[in-house]
Amino acid sequence: RYIIQHRQEEVLNLTHIDFPKTCSDDEVMDLILELSLEAERSMVPEFFNSAIGETVLRSKFDTEKNTILCAVDYDELWKQNGWLNFFQNELILMNDTVYAFAKMDEELWA
């Protein structure tokens, strides 16, 4: 994980937010939001009904629905910034030991 983070931030000068993402459609996100609000409403009704309760929850969800609630789009990632070559050929440092990734069959990445 560290070497991937290092490459993204130090070599490519990007952040974790810059990875290509795939997110659920709006209908699924709306369902998740409604279920989350219902859970908050039933578990902590005092907070939920306060001036900042539901408003803050909706705002936080709106911010996160296109970031942490998404997954990395690996099909797009392999096309960008030499990531496919990185995973196929480069050395990875883990726990002070160097592991070389074996050459991977091109069909695996097609």
Side-chain angles (χ1 to χ4, degrees), residues 9-94:
E9 294 174 357
E10 304 299 324
V11 176
L12 300 175
N13 199 29
L14 300 170
T15 70
H16 67 282
I17 294 172
D18 296 312
F19 280 115
K21 293 177 276 311
T22 181
C23 304
S24 296
D25 61 34
D26 288 340
E27 184 177 309
V28 171
M29 287 297 187
D30 289 344
L31 178 60
I32 293 170
L33 173 60
E34 291 307 315
L35 292 171
S36 298
L37 292 173
E38 183 57 38
E40 290 285 339
R41 185 180 296 115
S42 67
M43 289 190 273
V44 285
E46 300 82 21
F47 172 75
F48 186 84
N49 293 320
S50 72
I52 61 170
E54 183 178 358
T55 302
V56 169
L57 294 171
R58 284 183 180 276
S59 176
K60 187 173 181 182
F61 185 87
D62 192 50
T63 299
E64 294 177 349
K65 74 179 182 181
N66 293 314
T67 56
I68 66 170
L69 294 176
C70 299
V72 172
D73 183 340
Y74 291 101
D75 290 335
E76 280 303 310
L77 182 68
W78 301 142
K79 299 173 189 174
Q80 297 179 0
N81 301 316
W83 280 109
L84 181 58
N85 182 59
F86 174 78
F87 280 105
Q88 286 181 324
N89 302 310
E90 299 206 22
L91 297 178
I92 301 297
L93 299 172
M94 298 175 67

